[in-house]
Structures are given as C-alpha cells and as structure tokens.
Amino acid sequence: MNRAVFFSIVTALLFGIDAGADIISGFVYSAADSTPLNQVRVSSDTAHFTFTIADGSFTLNTGVAISVRFPGLPEKLDLRWNSAGGYFSWAGYSGIVSIQIRNATGALVAQTSSDRCEGSKYSPSGLPHGFYAATVSAEGRTSTKKIQNIGTNPGVPGALRKIAAIDTLTFVKVGYFTTTRVVSGSQSGLLVYMQPLAKIKCVFVVAMENTDASQIYGNRASAPYLNDSIAPKYGRATAFADQLPLAIVSEPHYVWMEAGTNVFADYTFSNDNDPSATVSTNSTAHLATQIRNATNGATWMSYQEGLNATTGTCPIVTSGFYAPKHDPFVFFQDVSGNPPSRTNVYCTAHHKALTTLAAVVAGPISSYNFITPNQCNDMHGQTGCPNSNTIRSGDDWLRANLPPLIAFVNANEGVIFITWDEGVSTSLMAFYVVGPNVKAGYTSTLAYTHSSIIKSVERILQLPILPTVTSVNDFADFFTPGNFP
C-alpha cells in the first residue's frame, strides 16, 4: 500500500454472534489525487450489519444475529455521523447508547455526558480537525415495556436477555479527503475509502483594488462600513501580504489568485493587456479547472460588473469601467479558448454580468464564486467615475451590496473572502472573512497571501492542493473549532 493509513474502522463486534462471524474492517487513506466518493455500502449477511457512507455522513446499522432476536425488540442501532453538522445522531435501540471518542494516540478526548435514548444527538465539542475513533455502545431494550431479568440464560426459550453491540468506526471531523475507488460487497477485511463533507457549502471572493491595509483599517472617514459593520462581527487579517513587488500591476495578481503564480511555461504575466493568443496560458494547473475536473458536484462562476456587447459574453475586451485584467479566468485557454474568444461557450457559461449581489443570491449558487466590482466601485478609480474618493466609493458599494450576500452565507453555511489585489505604498493589504462560523471581531496575525485563498477554497471544496500553494497558511484560524476543514 502506497498511502498512509490513518485509522482502521473496526465494526460488527457484536455480543451474541458466533466466533466465526465475519468482521468488516476498513482503512482511511489520504488520496488527494483521486476521484471523490459518492456512496459506499458494505454489508455482512452473517452479522446482519451494514455500513453506508453517503455524501460524507456515515450510517452504522448494527443488527443482531438471528439466534438472539426477540419479538418486539428493535434489531438495529442506526448511527449517523454528520460531518457537515459535526454531530452523531441515532435511533433504533430505545435503551442506553453511549459514545467515546479517542484521538490518534488512543487518548479519550470526548464522550457522551450521560446515557442517551432513541433519537438522541451528540455533538463532540472542542475537537480540532483530525482523525478520531468513535466507540459506540448500545444496550437494546423495548420501548413499550421494561425488560426484566437482563442477562438471564439466553438458551431458555422465551427468556429475555441483554442485547448489546459495541462498534468502532473512524470518522473525519469536517475533512477534505477524496477516494481512490468505490468498493462494495459482503466480505471481511474490506478496504473502505471515504470522503467526508466540509461544513462550508459555498465560497464568495469579492476582489477590491489598489489599497493599503492602513488605508482601510481604522479609517472610519473613508471606510465606515468595513470598520463599523464588518470588522466587529467577523474576522480580519493584519499580515496579508502581496506576494509580488509593488511595481507589478493588477493582472498578474488576479492570475495569481487563480493559480498561485503568474509564471507559466508558455507565458509570464507582467502587464495589464487584454487576453489574446500571446497574452494567455495553456496551463491547466489552476482552480477553475480543478473544480471542472471534480466529481463531487463542485461548480464555479465569475461575476463581473460592467459587461456589455463589447466585452463579449466571455469578457476578454476592455470596455467602459470593466477590464479583463480583473477577471483571472479569461487568461487561461482551457476556459476562454485558444486563442481566447469573446463567444467561447464554456467561458460564457461561467460568466455572468454583475448587477447587484442580491441578484447573485437570487439565482442558482455555485460552490465557488468570484465577484469583481467595476473600476469605479472596487477602489481602483478611473476617468469618468462619479466620486474621486475611491476608497469611500468602494466602501459605499460594499454597504449597498454585501448585506444580501451576508444574509445568504449566514443562512446557507457559506463564507465571503474580501480581498484586495495589491497595495499602493506597502505590501500589506486588508483582508476580511465573513460567515456564520467566523470568530466575531477576530484579528488574525498569521501570514497570508493570495495563495491562501486558493488553498482555503481547495480545502473547502475537497480539491487537490496545487503545488504552488502547499506551503502557505489556509484560513482555519478565522473559524471556530470544527468549522473549517
């Protein structure tokens, strides 16, 4: 085996089952370069046991052998680990159910505080991301009458006996691993590959322009909305740095937000030219293509303010207050064509004109959404813009547009990353993280770059990590425990 085994899943350790009964076991592998899992079902007819993995949640149905079945006694404990919600729930047995959770060293790190009954729920608290083994114990009892003489001779016809099951499974707390293959069957020693879901369901990146962190943080005169409404409720970074020199213009920064670099084998982005046969790359090592190749249902969309008949439905032409230099996707030939075309079908399908963010959340939402205001509203500024205070214009646009988007992510387990492409006189830029599980009023001092956006999106969408971003920090620091993969 060429992949690291993290834990074994040992199941079907049922009291009352013959010694020769099958034991279903499995192993969790890290397989970041493989195909995501849709569903796995493993069953053992001997143990009357099924283990189902569907959409990241584990259902454990623990039955009893035929020889110890009794009329009216529930046969199964249905246990579900919901990786999206971060909790166990169960039904079936109406008696005592308990759960113990151990970490990689085998130390007990969490357990149910009291006996739980049918339909109960248990949310392990305070556990960081990682791998854990959960031992589940259940003592079956009928819900209609009290069972007497628990533990009497099971060989006596009609006697009541204790029906118990102890099962251990491995679960990943909001993980981001993918599967190498789907397996099924009735056998012992079965290898099971699993992919839990991330809690965050969708990501929005709002890209602003050309502003130092010091021009935003504390500047209530020009950025009152960001300082008074966003910062107290959500998170911000104080060490989000530009990975490129100050002299480098916008376009390479946006390309970096998509690929973790501006240097490719066939082209190095160093100017703000519109996409063309010579100003584009055939590289497929970028985020949109990772999403396109994913088999877990992930999707992406680019929303650009100011599109018109001149820009094209695949917006590769500068027109009015819109500029392709602020839309990273159109510079990749597997998105916009070779050469890039204003009418490329795939590109058109993944670009929408941005009117308001209320319109964005009114339609189908993609897993990953990149939003660029026009150059009057992104703090960039341009001849003809109505307000010379570019920072205030951008802050006013955010005040007018962000509320419906914030309401959406708070109600639908999403997150918003507000970023800037570059600074003006320093390499430090403002950065905000907005979402329902972000630490309120939190300031992260960890080092971040635009590569951190890519890595965080990959974590959330359970994608392979691009080699260009493996060494950077992701945004886990901004979230309450258990709410970032």
Side-chain angles (χ1 to χ4, degrees):
M1 299 179 186
N2 57 4
R3 300 192 183 278
V5 178
F6 289 103
F7 268 92
S8 63
I9 306 168
V10 183
T11 55
L13 302 176
L14 306 180
F15 287 92
I17 294 179
D18 294 338
D22 286 347
I23 293 179
I24 307 301
S25 63
F27 300 91
V28 180
Y29 284 77
S30 170
D33 59 347
S34 58
T35 306
L37 174 69
N38 293 321
Q39 186 178 47
V40 166
R41 182 178 294 277
V42 181
S43 64
S44 168
D45 291 336
T46 304
H48 299 281
F49 174 87
T50 60
F51 180 44
T52 302
I53 308 171
D55 297 331
S57 296
F58 310 102
T59 302
L60 186 65
N61 299 320
T62 307
V64 297
I66 295 175
S67 61
V68 293
R69 287 182 179 174
F70 288 88
L73 186 66
E75 297 180 0
K76 295 180 179 180
L77 168 68
D78 297 329
L79 172 73
R80 177 171 291 271
W81 163 251
N82 187 303
S83 62
Y87 61 84
F88 288 100
S89 60
W90 57 88
Y93 285 103
S94 56
I96 299 171
V97 174
S98 62
I99 298 175
Q100 290 187 333
I101 299 174
R102 299 182 183 275
N103 62 17
T105 66
L108 182 66
V109 293
Q111 62 182 330
T112 49
S113 58
S114 60
D115 295 336
R116 305 299 173 117
C117 297
E118 182 177 0
S120 289
K121 188 181 199 178
Y122 173 51
S123 300
S125 60
L127 298 182
H129 161 68
F131 294 89
Y132 303 89
T135 300
V136 182
S137 301
E139 180 181 331
R141 297 180 182 179
T142 62
S143 56
T144 57
K145 63 179 181 178
K146 184 178 180 181
I147 295 180
Q148 303 293 334
N149 301 321
I150 297 299
T152 57
N153 187 354
V156 177
L160 297 173
R161 69 166 284 182
K162 181 177 180 180
I163 307 297
I166 299 178
D167 295 281
T168 301
L169 67 153
T170 295
F171 66 94
V172 182
K173 190 170 186 292
V174 195
Y176 47 84
F177 293 99
T178 52
T179 183
T180 56
R181 63 189 176 93
V182 174
V183 295
S184 63
S186 177
Q187 56 186 289
S188 60
L190 190 63
L191 296 183
V192 179
Y193 303 81
M194 62 188 66
Q195 177 189 0
L197 290 179
K199 188 175 180 71
I200 302 169
K201 297 297 188 294
C202 55
V203 181
F204 297 85
V205 173
V206 179
M208 307 300 282
E209 275 281 315
N210 295 24
T211 310
D212 294 332
S214 60
Q215 295 177 285
I216 299 294
Y217 295 155
N219 184 1
R220 287 179 168 80
S222 294
Y225 178 68
L226 287 170
N227 282 282
D228 297 334
S229 296
I230 299 300
K233 296 179 181 179
Y234 303 105
R236 65 171 189 161
T238 58
F240 193 105
D242 192 347
Q243 62 282 314
L244 291 169
L246 281 174
I248 300 295
V249 292
S250 289
E251 190 171 296
H253 290 86
Y254 282 81
V255 170
W256 196 296
M257 290 185 212
E258 172 66 7
T261 184
N262 65 314
V263 178
F264 303 90
D266 56 345
Y267 187 69
T268 296
F269 291 88
S270 59
N271 55 50
D272 280 339
N273 293 343
D274 288 358
S276 67
T278 56
V279 184
S280 59
T281 177
N282 63 16
S283 173
T284 59
H286 60 103
L287 191 53
T289 296
Q290 285 185 301
I291 296 173
R292 182 181 190 175
N293 293 337
T295 59
N296 61 358
T299 55
W300 71 274
M301 186 66 66
S302 175
Y303 295 89
Q304 300 289 317
E305 187 175 36
L307 302 191
N308 56 39
T310 302
T311 66
T313 52
C314 175
I316 64 170
V317 179
T318 297
S319 179
F321 298 132
Y322 166 78
K325 63 183 179 180
H326 297 161
D327 179 7
F329 310 100
V330 294
F331 294 95
F332 292 88
Q333 294 171 4
D334 62 343
V335 172
S336 59
N338 183 16
S341 165
R342 294 170 63 251
T343 58
N344 181 276
V345 174
Y346 176 73
C347 179
T348 296
H350 290 83
H351 278 82
K352 291 183 180 180
L354 176 65
T355 51
T356 66
L357 294 184
V360 170
V361 298
I365 297 298
S366 295
S367 311
Y368 175 60
N369 306 272
F370 193 93
I371 297 167
T372 310
N374 69 33
Q375 293 186 94
C376 292
N377 295 326
D378 64 1
M379 302 189 183
H380 184 284
Q382 185 178 323
T383 301
C385 290
N387 190 345
S388 60
N389 186 337
T390 58
I391 295 175
R392 185 57 185 260
S393 291
D395 191 78
D396 287 345
W397 185 90
L398 291 170
R399 180 191 298 275
N401 286 275
L402 269 189
L405 189 60
I406 293 174
F408 178 86
V409 298
N410 284 337
N412 294 278
E413 295 183 338
V415 68
I416 305 167
F417 300 139
I418 306 174
T419 190
W420 279 255
D421 73 325
E422 58 185 306
V424 177
S425 59
T426 76
S427 63
L428 290 179
M429 297 169 286
F431 181 78
Y432 292 91
V433 178
V434 177
N437 297 304
V438 175
K439 300 171 187 174
Y442 184 67
T443 298
S444 177
T445 58
L446 296 181
Y448 302 110
T449 69
H450 291 126
S451 295
S452 300
I453 298 175
I454 298 173
K455 187 172 185 178
S456 297
V457 173
E458 289 170 333
R459 293 292 199 216
I460 292 167
L461 301 186
Q462 304 171 36
L463 303 172
I465 305 301
L466 287 170
T468 53
V469 304
T470 54
S471 63
V472 302
N473 290 319
D474 60 31
F475 297 140
D477 186 49
F478 286 99
F479 294 84
T480 54
N483 289 296
F484 185 88

